[in-house]
Amino acid sequence: MKALLLAADAFAAEGSGVKRNVRPATSIDAMSGKNIPVGSIVLLGAPGAGKGTQAKLIAGHYGIPHISTGDILRDNVARGTELGRKAKRVMERGDLVSDDLVNGMVAERIKQPDCDRGFVLDGFPRTVAQAEWLDKELAAKAGEKRPTVVVDVDVSYNQLLQRLTGRRTCPVDGKIYNIYLQPPKNEGLCDVCGTQLFQRVDDTEEVISERLKSYERQTKPLEDFYRKQGRLRRVNGEQPVEKVMADMFRAIEGGAAAAGD
Ligand code: AP5
C-alpha cells in the first residue's frame, strides 16, 4: 500500500492536468441532450476507469437514469436486505455477484417508467452471460428505439490503482472525489453538502487486486463480444474528466471520436 501511495504522491506532485469542477465550453454545451431519443447506453471499463463519474454526467446531460449495479448492491448491503446479505461477502472479496441476482436487479430497475427514454448502465453487464441476457431483455422491452450503445473507457493499470486508492465518495449525493486527482476544496468534506466523505471498503490494495483479476477474467471478454457485433466504441479515459466526457458524447451520438472498434 505504501508503495502505491508514494507512486500516487509523485504523480499528484507532477500534476494530473485534471481541473476540478471546470467545464470548458464545447459545442456539446450548446445542445440540449434532453430531446435526443437516447436508448440504452452500456459503459464498459476496468474498476476505477471512471464509469461512475462519466455515467453521472451522461445521465445529467440526456436526462436519463444512471443505473449502477455496484450502487444498488451497496445500498442493499447497507440496508441489510436478503440480496445485500448474499452479496456482501462476495463484494468484500472483490469477486462478482452471481449473474442471476444481478440480472434480476437490473430487470426490476429498467422496468420503471423513468427508463422509457433510455438509461445508462454502469457496471453491467460484466460477464458474457449478463450481456446475452441484456440483449434478450432489451429486445423484449416494448418501445426500445435505438440499439444499445456500448462505450469502453480505456485507462492504464497504474492510473487505475491511483484512482481506486484515492477515491472518496459523498454518502449523501454520491459525488465522487479523488484525494490525488480531484480533491475536495476542504479535506475530507463534500464540496456540495459539506458531509464527511468515505472510502469504499473494497478500495483496499488487496481487494483492488482481486477486482482487477475478476475484470481481466470475466469482463474483458465482453470487448470481443461487442466488437464482433460491430457495437464497441472506445474512449481514452486517461484524459481530464471534461475531455473524456466530450469524447463520450460523440461516441454515444455516433461522431468522429467513436472510432476504435
Ligand atoms: P462497482 O461499484 O461497479 O465497481 P467497479 O466496476 O469496480 O468500478 P468502480 O466504481 O470502482 O470505478 P468506476 O469505473 O465507476 O470509477 P469512478 O468513476 O468511481 O462494483 C463493485 C462490486 O459490486 C463488484 O466488485 C462486484 O462484486 C459487484 N458488482 C457490481 N456490478 C456487478 C455485476 N454486473 N455483476 C456481478 N457483480 C457486480 O472513478 C474512480 C476514481 O477516479 C474516482 O476517485 C474519480 O474521482 C477518479 N476519476 C474518474 N475519472 C477521472 C479522470 N478522467 N481523471 C482523473 N481522475 C478520474
Side-chain angles (χ1 to χ4, degrees), residues 18 47-53 69-70 73-74 91 95 97 102 123-124 126 130 163-164 167 176-178 181-182 200 211 239 241:
V18 175
K51 302 182 297 295
T53 301
T69 43
L73 287 165
R74 278 185 289 279
M91 292 173 78
D95 289 337
V97 175
V102 181
F124 185 92
R126 242 173 161 105
Q130 289 179 13
R163 288 189 183 187
L164 290 166
R167 173 169 46 197
I176 304 168
Y177 298 86
N178 191 289
L181 305 165
Q182 300 179 294
R200 270 171 45 177
R211 286 163 63 200
Q239 313 177 80
V241 170

PDB file of all heavy atoms in Angstrom, residues 18 47-53 69-70 73-74 91 95 97 102 123-124 126 130 163-164 167 176-178 181-182 200 211 239 241, ligand 1:
ATOM      1  N   VAL A  18      -5.952  17.450 -14.397  1.00  0.00           N
ATOM      2  CA  VAL A  18      -7.402  17.463 -14.188  1.00  0.00           C
ATOM      3  C   VAL A  18      -7.792  18.758 -13.497  1.00  0.00           C
ATOM      4  O   VAL A  18      -7.236  19.106 -12.469  1.00  0.00           O
ATOM      5  CB  VAL A  18      -7.847  16.286 -13.299  1.00  0.00           C
ATOM      6  CG1 VAL A  18      -9.337  16.384 -12.978  1.00  0.00           C
ATOM      7  CG2 VAL A  18      -7.533  14.986 -13.987  1.00  0.00           C
ATOM      8  N   PRO A  47     -12.365  -1.564 -13.092  1.00  0.00           N
ATOM      9  CA  PRO A  47     -12.630  -0.837 -11.850  1.00  0.00           C
ATOM     10  C   PRO A  47     -11.766   0.430 -11.810  1.00  0.00           C
ATOM     11  O   PRO A  47     -10.567   0.363 -12.084  1.00  0.00           O
ATOM     12  CB  PRO A  47     -12.182  -1.817 -10.759  1.00  0.00           C
ATOM     13  CG  PRO A  47     -12.309  -3.171 -11.374  1.00  0.00           C
ATOM     14  CD  PRO A  47     -11.997  -2.981 -12.835  1.00  0.00           C
ATOM     15  N   GLY A  48     -12.383   1.552 -11.536  1.00  0.00           N
ATOM     16  CA  GLY A  48     -11.639   2.813 -11.443  1.00  0.00           C
ATOM     17  C   GLY A  48     -11.459   3.536 -12.764  1.00  0.00           C
ATOM     18  O   GLY A  48     -10.847   4.612 -12.808  1.00  0.00           O
ATOM     19  N   ALA A  49     -12.009   3.008 -13.848  1.00  0.00           N
ATOM     20  CA  ALA A  49     -11.807   3.644 -15.158  1.00  0.00           C
ATOM     21  C   ALA A  49     -12.538   4.986 -15.265  1.00  0.00           C
ATOM     22  O   ALA A  49     -12.235   5.798 -16.143  1.00  0.00           O
ATOM     23  CB  ALA A  49     -12.268   2.703 -16.265  1.00  0.00           C
ATOM     24  N   GLY A  50     -13.518   5.193 -14.386  1.00  0.00           N
ATOM     25  CA  GLY A  50     -14.270   6.452 -14.442  1.00  0.00           C
ATOM     26  C   GLY A  50     -15.692   6.249 -14.952  1.00  0.00           C
ATOM     27  O   GLY A  50     -16.348   7.211 -15.365  1.00  0.00           O
ATOM     28  N   LYS A  51     -16.188   5.017 -14.897  1.00  0.00           N
ATOM     29  CA  LYS A  51     -17.547   4.735 -15.396  1.00  0.00           C
ATOM     30  C   LYS A  51     -18.596   5.519 -14.592  1.00  0.00           C
ATOM     31  O   LYS A  51     -19.496   6.120 -15.156  1.00  0.00           O
ATOM     32  CB  LYS A  51     -17.862   3.223 -15.282  1.00  0.00           C
ATOM     33  CG  LYS A  51     -16.893   2.329 -16.037  1.00  0.00           C
ATOM     34  CD  LYS A  51     -17.272   0.858 -15.920  1.00  0.00           C
ATOM     35  CE  LYS A  51     -17.230   0.292 -14.510  1.00  0.00           C
ATOM     36  NZ  LYS A  51     -15.891   0.255 -13.888  1.00  0.00           N
ATOM     37  N   GLY A  52     -18.449   5.492 -13.266  1.00  0.00           N
ATOM     38  CA  GLY A  52     -19.427   6.186 -12.419  1.00  0.00           C
ATOM     39  C   GLY A  52     -19.386   7.687 -12.651  1.00  0.00           C
ATOM     40  O   GLY A  52     -20.430   8.340 -12.768  1.00  0.00           O
ATOM     41  N   THR A  53     -18.178   8.237 -12.734  1.00  0.00           N
ATOM     42  CA  THR A  53     -18.012   9.682 -12.965  1.00  0.00           C
ATOM     43  C   THR A  53     -18.692  10.081 -14.273  1.00  0.00           C
ATOM     44  O   THR A  53     -19.464  11.042 -14.330  1.00  0.00           O
ATOM     45  CB  THR A  53     -16.498  10.018 -13.022  1.00  0.00           C
ATOM     46  OG1 THR A  53     -15.899   9.616 -11.784  1.00  0.00           O
ATOM     47  CG2 THR A  53     -16.260  11.488 -13.273  1.00  0.00           C
ATOM     48  N   THR A  69     -25.005  -0.972 -10.957  1.00  0.00           N
ATOM     49  CA  THR A  69     -25.291  -2.210 -10.209  1.00  0.00           C
ATOM     50  C   THR A  69     -24.483  -2.221  -8.904  1.00  0.00           C
ATOM     51  O   THR A  69     -24.957  -2.721  -7.893  1.00  0.00           O
ATOM     52  CB  THR A  69     -24.991  -3.462 -11.065  1.00  0.00           C
ATOM     53  OG1 THR A  69     -23.769  -3.282 -11.767  1.00  0.00           O
ATOM     54  CG2 THR A  69     -26.115  -3.718 -12.037  1.00  0.00           C
ATOM     55  N   GLY A  70     -23.271  -1.641  -8.918  1.00  0.00           N
ATOM     56  CA  GLY A  70     -22.480  -1.552  -7.688  1.00  0.00           C
ATOM     57  C   GLY A  70     -23.207  -0.728  -6.627  1.00  0.00           C
ATOM     58  O   GLY A  70     -23.291  -1.118  -5.466  1.00  0.00           O
ATOM     59  N   LEU A  73     -26.217  -2.639  -5.273  1.00  0.00           N
ATOM     60  CA  LEU A  73     -25.774  -3.701  -4.353  1.00  0.00           C
ATOM     61  C   LEU A  73     -25.324  -3.110  -3.017  1.00  0.00           C
ATOM     62  O   LEU A  73     -25.691  -3.612  -1.953  1.00  0.00           O
ATOM     63  CB  LEU A  73     -24.634  -4.507  -4.992  1.00  0.00           C
ATOM     64  CG  LEU A  73     -25.050  -5.458  -6.122  1.00  0.00           C
ATOM     65  CD1 LEU A  73     -23.834  -5.929  -6.913  1.00  0.00           C
ATOM     66  CD2 LEU A  73     -25.821  -6.661  -5.569  1.00  0.00           C
ATOM     67  N   ARG A  74     -24.529  -2.023  -3.076  1.00  0.00           N
ATOM     68  CA  ARG A  74     -24.054  -1.405  -1.817  1.00  0.00           C
ATOM     69  C   ARG A  74     -25.231  -0.885  -0.987  1.00  0.00           C
ATOM     70  O   ARG A  74     -25.240  -0.997   0.234  1.00  0.00           O
ATOM     71  CB  ARG A  74     -23.063  -0.257  -2.112  1.00  0.00           C
ATOM     72  CG  ARG A  74     -21.650  -0.740  -2.381  1.00  0.00           C
ATOM     73  CD  ARG A  74     -20.676   0.412  -2.552  1.00  0.00           C
ATOM     74  NE  ARG A  74     -20.884   1.125  -3.790  1.00  0.00           N
ATOM     75  CZ  ARG A  74     -20.422   0.739  -4.974  1.00  0.00           C
ATOM     76  NH1 ARG A  74     -19.700  -0.361  -5.084  1.00  0.00           N
ATOM     77  NH2 ARG A  74     -20.666   1.434  -6.068  1.00  0.00           N
ATOM     78  N   MET A  91     -18.689  -9.247  -2.509  1.00  0.00           N
ATOM     79  CA  MET A  91     -18.165  -7.923  -2.868  1.00  0.00           C
ATOM     80  C   MET A  91     -16.912  -7.596  -2.055  1.00  0.00           C
ATOM     81  O   MET A  91     -15.959  -7.019  -2.580  1.00  0.00           O
ATOM     82  CB  MET A  91     -19.228  -6.857  -2.629  1.00  0.00           C
ATOM     83  CG  MET A  91     -20.402  -6.978  -3.572  1.00  0.00           C
ATOM     84  SD  MET A  91     -21.728  -5.854  -3.146  1.00  0.00           S
ATOM     85  CE  MET A  91     -21.116  -4.303  -3.781  1.00  0.00           C
ATOM     86  N   ASP A  95     -14.948 -10.370  -5.725  1.00  0.00           N
ATOM     87  CA  ASP A  95     -15.496 -11.256  -6.766  1.00  0.00           C
ATOM     88  C   ASP A  95     -16.776 -10.663  -7.340  1.00  0.00           C
ATOM     89  O   ASP A  95     -17.315  -9.685  -6.805  1.00  0.00           O
ATOM     90  CB  ASP A  95     -15.829 -12.637  -6.169  1.00  0.00           C
ATOM     91  CG  ASP A  95     -14.577 -13.415  -5.832  1.00  0.00           C
ATOM     92  OD1 ASP A  95     -13.527 -13.124  -6.428  1.00  0.00           O
ATOM     93  OD2 ASP A  95     -14.659 -14.301  -4.958  1.00  0.00           O
ATOM     94  N   VAL A  97     -20.784 -10.860  -8.056  1.00  0.00           N
ATOM     95  CA  VAL A  97     -22.041 -11.414  -7.543  1.00  0.00           C
ATOM     96  C   VAL A  97     -22.648 -12.257  -8.675  1.00  0.00           C
ATOM     97  O   VAL A  97     -22.399 -12.000  -9.854  1.00  0.00           O
ATOM     98  CB  VAL A  97     -22.966 -10.240  -7.120  1.00  0.00           C
ATOM     99  CG1 VAL A  97     -24.332 -10.723  -6.690  1.00  0.00           C
ATOM    100  CG2 VAL A  97     -22.297  -9.425  -6.019  1.00  0.00           C
ATOM    101  N   VAL A 102     -27.876 -10.396 -10.103  1.00  0.00           N
ATOM    102  CA  VAL A 102     -27.684  -9.076 -10.712  1.00  0.00           C
ATOM    103  C   VAL A 102     -28.680  -8.866 -11.856  1.00  0.00           C
ATOM    104  O   VAL A 102     -29.265  -7.788 -11.992  1.00  0.00           O
ATOM    105  CB  VAL A 102     -26.223  -8.923 -11.183  1.00  0.00           C
ATOM    106  CG1 VAL A 102     -25.999  -7.559 -11.786  1.00  0.00           C
ATOM    107  CG2 VAL A 102     -25.275  -9.114 -10.028  1.00  0.00           C
ATOM    108  N   GLY A 123     -21.377  -0.630 -14.881  1.00  0.00           N
ATOM    109  CA  GLY A 123     -21.005  -1.848 -14.148  1.00  0.00           C
ATOM    110  C   GLY A 123     -21.842  -3.049 -14.536  1.00  0.00           C
ATOM    111  O   GLY A 123     -21.751  -4.095 -13.905  1.00  0.00           O
ATOM    112  N   PHE A 124     -22.637  -2.921 -15.559  1.00  0.00           N
ATOM    113  CA  PHE A 124     -23.458  -4.016 -16.065  1.00  0.00           C
ATOM    114  C   PHE A 124     -23.578  -3.861 -17.575  1.00  0.00           C
ATOM    115  O   PHE A 124     -23.851  -2.748 -18.022  1.00  0.00           O
ATOM    116  CB  PHE A 124     -24.858  -3.995 -15.430  1.00  0.00           C
ATOM    117  CG  PHE A 124     -25.693  -5.182 -15.828  1.00  0.00           C
ATOM    118  CD1 PHE A 124     -25.712  -6.331 -15.059  1.00  0.00           C
ATOM    119  CD2 PHE A 124     -26.448  -5.154 -16.998  1.00  0.00           C
ATOM    120  CE1 PHE A 124     -26.457  -7.434 -15.440  1.00  0.00           C
ATOM    121  CE2 PHE A 124     -27.198  -6.249 -17.373  1.00  0.00           C
ATOM    122  CZ  PHE A 124     -27.202  -7.390 -16.592  1.00  0.00           C
ATOM    123  N   ARG A 126     -21.271  -7.480 -16.959  1.00  0.00           N
ATOM    124  CA  ARG A 126     -19.898  -7.720 -16.538  1.00  0.00           C
ATOM    125  C   ARG A 126     -19.427  -9.123 -16.901  1.00  0.00           C
ATOM    126  O   ARG A 126     -18.291  -9.485 -16.614  1.00  0.00           O
ATOM    127  CB  ARG A 126     -19.843  -7.588 -15.032  1.00  0.00           C
ATOM    128  CG  ARG A 126     -18.960  -6.478 -14.544  1.00  0.00           C
ATOM    129  CD  ARG A 126     -19.195  -6.424 -13.063  1.00  0.00           C
ATOM    130  NE  ARG A 126     -18.161  -5.762 -12.380  1.00  0.00           N
ATOM    131  CZ  ARG A 126     -18.297  -4.531 -11.889  1.00  0.00           C
ATOM    132  NH1 ARG A 126     -19.382  -3.830 -12.088  1.00  0.00           N
ATOM    133  NH2 ARG A 126     -17.317  -4.027 -11.197  1.00  0.00           N
ATOM    134  N   GLN A 130     -24.285 -12.157 -18.783  1.00  0.00           N
ATOM    135  CA  GLN A 130     -25.110 -10.973 -18.477  1.00  0.00           C
ATOM    136  C   GLN A 130     -25.416 -10.197 -19.767  1.00  0.00           C
ATOM    137  O   GLN A 130     -26.518  -9.687 -19.949  1.00  0.00           O
ATOM    138  CB  GLN A 130     -24.398 -10.053 -17.484  1.00  0.00           C
ATOM    139  CG  GLN A 130     -24.306 -10.612 -16.072  1.00  0.00           C
ATOM    140  CD  GLN A 130     -23.566  -9.691 -15.100  1.00  0.00           C
ATOM    141  OE1 GLN A 130     -23.308  -8.531 -15.377  1.00  0.00           O
ATOM    142  NE2 GLN A 130     -23.227 -10.235 -13.943  1.00  0.00           N
ATOM    143  N   ARG A 163      -6.418   5.856  -8.997  1.00  0.00           N
ATOM    144  CA  ARG A 163      -7.818   6.292  -8.932  1.00  0.00           C
ATOM    145  C   ARG A 163      -8.569   5.545  -7.834  1.00  0.00           C
ATOM    146  O   ARG A 163      -9.406   6.120  -7.146  1.00  0.00           O
ATOM    147  CB  ARG A 163      -8.495   6.056 -10.282  1.00  0.00           C
ATOM    148  CG  ARG A 163      -8.008   7.022 -11.334  1.00  0.00           C
ATOM    149  CD  ARG A 163      -8.830   6.910 -12.569  1.00  0.00           C
ATOM    150  NE  ARG A 163      -8.329   7.775 -13.612  1.00  0.00           N
ATOM    151  CZ  ARG A 163      -8.955   7.968 -14.759  1.00  0.00           C
ATOM    152  NH1 ARG A 163     -10.087   7.344 -15.002  1.00  0.00           N
ATOM    153  NH2 ARG A 163      -8.444   8.771 -15.661  1.00  0.00           N
ATOM    154  N   LEU A 164      -8.279   4.247  -7.705  1.00  0.00           N
ATOM    155  CA  LEU A 164      -9.038   3.453  -6.725  1.00  0.00           C
ATOM    156  C   LEU A 164      -8.583   3.727  -5.296  1.00  0.00           C
ATOM    157  O   LEU A 164      -9.412   3.876  -4.394  1.00  0.00           O
ATOM    158  CB  LEU A 164      -8.910   1.957  -7.059  1.00  0.00           C
ATOM    159  CG  LEU A 164      -9.646   1.536  -8.343  1.00  0.00           C
ATOM    160  CD1 LEU A 164      -9.192   0.155  -8.798  1.00  0.00           C
ATOM    161  CD2 LEU A 164     -11.149   1.565  -8.155  1.00  0.00           C
ATOM    162  N   ARG A 167      -9.848   7.271  -4.235  1.00  0.00           N
ATOM    163  CA  ARG A 167     -11.269   7.637  -4.356  1.00  0.00           C
ATOM    164  C   ARG A 167     -11.912   7.890  -2.987  1.00  0.00           C
ATOM    165  O   ARG A 167     -11.714   7.145  -2.029  1.00  0.00           O
ATOM    166  CB  ARG A 167     -12.039   6.530  -5.066  1.00  0.00           C
ATOM    167  CG  ARG A 167     -13.547   6.813  -5.059  1.00  0.00           C
ATOM    168  CD  ARG A 167     -14.345   5.914  -5.944  1.00  0.00           C
ATOM    169  NE  ARG A 167     -14.000   4.527  -5.806  1.00  0.00           N
ATOM    170  CZ  ARG A 167     -14.324   3.600  -6.687  1.00  0.00           C
ATOM    171  NH1 ARG A 167     -14.962   3.930  -7.787  1.00  0.00           N
ATOM    172  NH2 ARG A 167     -13.973   2.352  -6.497  1.00  0.00           N
ATOM    173  N   ILE A 176     -18.251  11.920  -6.500  1.00  0.00           N
ATOM    174  CA  ILE A 176     -17.001  11.158  -6.392  1.00  0.00           C
ATOM    175  C   ILE A 176     -15.802  12.104  -6.466  1.00  0.00           C
ATOM    176  O   ILE A 176     -15.722  12.958  -7.352  1.00  0.00           O
ATOM    177  CB  ILE A 176     -16.896  10.124  -7.542  1.00  0.00           C
ATOM    178  CG1 ILE A 176     -18.114   9.193  -7.553  1.00  0.00           C
ATOM    179  CG2 ILE A 176     -15.618   9.307  -7.427  1.00  0.00           C
ATOM    180  CD1 ILE A 176     -18.231   8.329  -8.811  1.00  0.00           C
ATOM    181  N   TYR A 177     -14.867  11.932  -5.523  1.00  0.00           N
ATOM    182  CA  TYR A 177     -13.638  12.742  -5.486  1.00  0.00           C
ATOM    183  C   TYR A 177     -12.441  11.809  -5.569  1.00  0.00           C
ATOM    184  O   TYR A 177     -12.574  10.582  -5.508  1.00  0.00           O
ATOM    185  CB  TYR A 177     -13.552  13.525  -4.167  1.00  0.00           C
ATOM    186  CG  TYR A 177     -14.670  14.508  -3.977  1.00  0.00           C
ATOM    187  CD1 TYR A 177     -15.887  14.102  -3.410  1.00  0.00           C
ATOM    188  CD2 TYR A 177     -14.528  15.841  -4.345  1.00  0.00           C
ATOM    189  CE1 TYR A 177     -16.926  15.002  -3.236  1.00  0.00           C
ATOM    190  CE2 TYR A 177     -15.563  16.748  -4.152  1.00  0.00           C
ATOM    191  CZ  TYR A 177     -16.754  16.326  -3.600  1.00  0.00           C
ATOM    192  OH  TYR A 177     -17.774  17.221  -3.426  1.00  0.00           O
ATOM    193  N   ASN A 178     -11.256  12.415  -5.668  1.00  0.00           N
ATOM    194  CA  ASN A 178     -10.025  11.638  -5.577  1.00  0.00           C
ATOM    195  C   ASN A 178      -8.992  12.495  -4.853  1.00  0.00           C
ATOM    196  O   ASN A 178      -8.746  13.636  -5.268  1.00  0.00           O
ATOM    197  CB  ASN A 178      -9.525  11.253  -6.980  1.00  0.00           C
ATOM    198  CG  ASN A 178      -8.412  10.238  -6.899  1.00  0.00           C
ATOM    199  OD1 ASN A 178      -7.304  10.554  -6.491  1.00  0.00           O
ATOM    200  ND2 ASN A 178      -8.730   9.008  -7.252  1.00  0.00           N
ATOM    201  N   LEU A 181      -6.243  13.293  -7.444  1.00  0.00           N
ATOM    202  CA  LEU A 181      -6.555  13.830  -8.766  1.00  0.00           C
ATOM    203  C   LEU A 181      -7.698  14.852  -8.774  1.00  0.00           C
ATOM    204  O   LEU A 181      -7.711  15.760  -9.587  1.00  0.00           O
ATOM    205  CB  LEU A 181      -6.914  12.684  -9.723  1.00  0.00           C
ATOM    206  CG  LEU A 181      -5.855  11.589  -9.844  1.00  0.00           C
ATOM    207  CD1 LEU A 181      -6.424  10.347 -10.495  1.00  0.00           C
ATOM    208  CD2 LEU A 181      -4.662  12.114 -10.637  1.00  0.00           C
ATOM    209  N   GLN A 182      -8.674  14.643  -7.891  1.00  0.00           N
ATOM    210  CA  GLN A 182      -9.826  15.548  -7.853  1.00  0.00           C
ATOM    211  C   GLN A 182     -10.207  15.809  -6.400  1.00  0.00           C
ATOM    212  O   GLN A 182     -11.278  15.402  -5.953  1.00  0.00           O
ATOM    213  CB  GLN A 182     -11.016  14.909  -8.574  1.00  0.00           C
ATOM    214  CG  GLN A 182     -10.722  14.596 -10.026  1.00  0.00           C
ATOM    215  CD  GLN A 182     -11.906  13.958 -10.695  1.00  0.00           C
ATOM    216  OE1 GLN A 182     -12.288  12.840 -10.352  1.00  0.00           O
ATOM    217  NE2 GLN A 182     -12.492  14.664 -11.619  1.00  0.00           N
ATOM    218  N   ARG A 200     -14.586   3.529   0.045  1.00  0.00           N
ATOM    219  CA  ARG A 200     -15.286   2.249  -0.117  1.00  0.00           C
ATOM    220  C   ARG A 200     -14.493   1.105   0.500  1.00  0.00           C
ATOM    221  O   ARG A 200     -13.262   1.089   0.412  1.00  0.00           O
ATOM    222  CB  ARG A 200     -15.523   1.969  -1.606  1.00  0.00           C
ATOM    223  CG  ARG A 200     -16.841   2.535  -2.086  1.00  0.00           C
ATOM    224  CD  ARG A 200     -17.038   2.477  -3.567  1.00  0.00           C
ATOM    225  NE  ARG A 200     -16.677   1.232  -4.211  1.00  0.00           N
ATOM    226  CZ  ARG A 200     -16.847   1.005  -5.509  1.00  0.00           C
ATOM    227  NH1 ARG A 200     -17.390   1.928  -6.284  1.00  0.00           N
ATOM    228  NH2 ARG A 200     -16.500  -0.136  -6.043  1.00  0.00           N
ATOM    229  N   ARG A 211     -10.333  -7.482  -7.623  1.00  0.00           N
ATOM    230  CA  ARG A 211     -11.313  -6.900  -8.569  1.00  0.00           C
ATOM    231  C   ARG A 211     -10.703  -6.791  -9.966  1.00  0.00           C
ATOM    232  O   ARG A 211     -11.374  -7.045 -10.963  1.00  0.00           O
ATOM    233  CB  ARG A 211     -11.745  -5.506  -8.079  1.00  0.00           C
ATOM    234  CG  ARG A 211     -12.678  -5.595  -6.878  1.00  0.00           C
ATOM    235  CD  ARG A 211     -12.767  -4.273  -6.154  1.00  0.00           C
ATOM    236  NE  ARG A 211     -13.325  -3.200  -6.942  1.00  0.00           N
ATOM    237  CZ  ARG A 211     -13.153  -1.909  -6.676  1.00  0.00           C
ATOM    238  NH1 ARG A 211     -12.437  -1.536  -5.622  1.00  0.00           N
ATOM    239  NH2 ARG A 211     -13.685  -0.995  -7.439  1.00  0.00           N
ATOM    240  N   GLN A 239      -7.750  11.043 -19.709  1.00  0.00           N
ATOM    241  CA  GLN A 239      -7.705  12.465 -20.032  1.00  0.00           C
ATOM    242  C   GLN A 239      -8.504  13.163 -18.937  1.00  0.00           C
ATOM    243  O   GLN A 239      -9.209  12.516 -18.172  1.00  0.00           O
ATOM    244  CB  GLN A 239      -8.408  12.734 -21.361  1.00  0.00           C
ATOM    245  CG  GLN A 239      -8.051  11.801 -22.510  1.00  0.00           C
ATOM    246  CD  GLN A 239      -8.880  12.142 -23.734  1.00  0.00           C
ATOM    247  OE1 GLN A 239      -8.569  13.073 -24.458  1.00  0.00           O
ATOM    248  NE2 GLN A 239      -9.950  11.404 -23.964  1.00  0.00           N
ATOM    249  N   VAL A 241     -11.455  14.835 -16.978  1.00  0.00           N
ATOM    250  CA  VAL A 241     -12.862  14.386 -16.982  1.00  0.00           C
ATOM    251  C   VAL A 241     -13.667  15.044 -18.110  1.00  0.00           C
ATOM    252  O   VAL A 241     -14.443  14.386 -18.804  1.00  0.00           O
ATOM    253  CB  VAL A 241     -13.517  14.700 -15.613  1.00  0.00           C
ATOM    254  CG1 VAL A 241     -15.020  14.491 -15.655  1.00  0.00           C
ATOM    255  CG2 VAL A 241     -12.901  13.838 -14.523  1.00  0.00           C
TER     256      VAL A 241
HETATM  257  P1  AP5 B   1     -18.825  -1.264  -8.955  1.00  0.00           P
HETATM  258  O1  AP5 B   1     -19.334  -0.332  -7.952  1.00  0.00           O
HETATM  259  O2  AP5 B   1     -19.436  -1.324 -10.291  1.00  0.00           O
HETATM  260  O3  AP5 B   1     -17.243  -1.038  -9.044  1.00  0.00           O
HETATM  261  P2  AP5 B   1     -16.208  -1.125 -10.268  1.00  0.00           P
HETATM  262  O4  AP5 B   1     -16.666  -1.647 -11.573  1.00  0.00           O
HETATM  263  O5  AP5 B   1     -15.077  -1.842  -9.643  1.00  0.00           O
HETATM  264  O6  AP5 B   1     -15.994   0.310 -10.669  1.00  0.00           O
HETATM  265  P3  AP5 B   1     -15.689   1.463  -9.724  1.00  0.00           P
HETATM  266  O7  AP5 B   1     -16.963   2.005  -9.141  1.00  0.00           O
HETATM  267  O8  AP5 B   1     -14.619   1.046  -8.749  1.00  0.00           O
HETATM  268  O9  AP5 B   1     -14.985   2.506 -10.699  1.00  0.00           O
HETATM  269  P4  AP5 B   1     -15.572   3.466 -11.798  1.00  0.00           P
HETATM  270  O10 AP5 B   1     -15.148   2.987 -13.132  1.00  0.00           O
HETATM  271  O11 AP5 B   1     -17.031   3.728 -11.601  1.00  0.00           O
HETATM  272  O12 AP5 B   1     -14.720   4.762 -11.455  1.00  0.00           O
HETATM  273  P5  AP5 B   1     -15.139   6.143 -10.738  1.00  0.00           P
HETATM  274  O13 AP5 B   1     -15.935   6.986 -11.669  1.00  0.00           O
HETATM  275  O14 AP5 B   1     -15.668   5.905  -9.369  1.00  0.00           O
HETATM  276  O15 AP5 B   1     -18.882  -2.779  -8.386  1.00  0.00           O
HETATM  277  C1  AP5 B   1     -18.486  -3.077  -7.065  1.00  0.00           C
HETATM  278  C2  AP5 B   1     -18.705  -4.568  -6.808  1.00  0.00           C
HETATM  279  O16 AP5 B   1     -20.117  -4.890  -6.947  1.00  0.00           O
HETATM  280  C3  AP5 B   1     -18.004  -5.515  -7.773  1.00  0.00           C
HETATM  281  O17 AP5 B   1     -16.681  -5.770  -7.391  1.00  0.00           O
HETATM  282  C4  AP5 B   1     -18.906  -6.763  -7.690  1.00  0.00           C
HETATM  283  O18 AP5 B   1     -18.653  -7.512  -6.541  1.00  0.00           O
HETATM  284  C5  AP5 B   1     -20.299  -6.162  -7.559  1.00  0.00           C
HETATM  285  N1  AP5 B   1     -20.961  -5.961  -8.878  1.00  0.00           N
HETATM  286  C6  AP5 B   1     -21.313  -4.780  -9.434  1.00  0.00           C
HETATM  287  N2  AP5 B   1     -21.875  -4.973 -10.629  1.00  0.00           N
HETATM  288  C7  AP5 B   1     -21.868  -6.308 -10.848  1.00  0.00           C
HETATM  289  C8  AP5 B   1     -22.295  -7.133 -11.928  1.00  0.00           C
HETATM  290  N3  AP5 B   1     -22.838  -6.606 -13.054  1.00  0.00           N
HETATM  291  N4  AP5 B   1     -22.130  -8.463 -11.820  1.00  0.00           N
HETATM  292  C9  AP5 B   1     -21.603  -9.019 -10.713  1.00  0.00           C
HETATM  293  N5  AP5 B   1     -21.161  -8.304  -9.651  1.00  0.00           N
HETATM  294  C10 AP5 B   1     -21.298  -6.947  -9.722  1.00  0.00           C
HETATM  295  O19 AP5 B   1     -13.686   6.822 -10.657  1.00  0.00           O
HETATM  296  C11 AP5 B   1     -12.664   6.253  -9.862  1.00  0.00           C
HETATM  297  C12 AP5 B   1     -11.757   7.377  -9.312  1.00  0.00           C
HETATM  298  O20 AP5 B   1     -11.091   8.016 -10.399  1.00  0.00           O
HETATM  299  C13 AP5 B   1     -12.505   8.479  -8.563  1.00  0.00           C
HETATM  300  O21 AP5 B   1     -11.730   8.866  -7.452  1.00  0.00           O
HETATM  301  C14 AP5 B   1     -12.621   9.618  -9.573  1.00  0.00           C
HETATM  302  O22 AP5 B   1     -12.631  10.870  -8.930  1.00  0.00           O
HETATM  303  C15 AP5 B   1     -11.364   9.416 -10.413  1.00  0.00           C
HETATM  304  N6  AP5 B   1     -11.531   9.777 -11.824  1.00  0.00           N
HETATM  305  C16 AP5 B   1     -12.564   9.436 -12.636  1.00  0.00           C
HETATM  306  N7  AP5 B   1     -12.362   9.909 -13.886  1.00  0.00           N
HETATM  307  C17 AP5 B   1     -11.151  10.556 -13.849  1.00  0.00           C
HETATM  308  C18 AP5 B   1     -10.379  11.239 -14.834  1.00  0.00           C
HETATM  309  N8  AP5 B   1     -10.792  11.369 -16.115  1.00  0.00           N
HETATM  310  N9  AP5 B   1      -9.175  11.758 -14.462  1.00  0.00           N
HETATM  311  C19 AP5 B   1      -8.745  11.641 -13.171  1.00  0.00           C
HETATM  312  N10 AP5 B   1      -9.438  11.013 -12.194  1.00  0.00           N
HETATM  313  C20 AP5 B   1     -10.624  10.469 -12.535  1.00  0.00           C
END
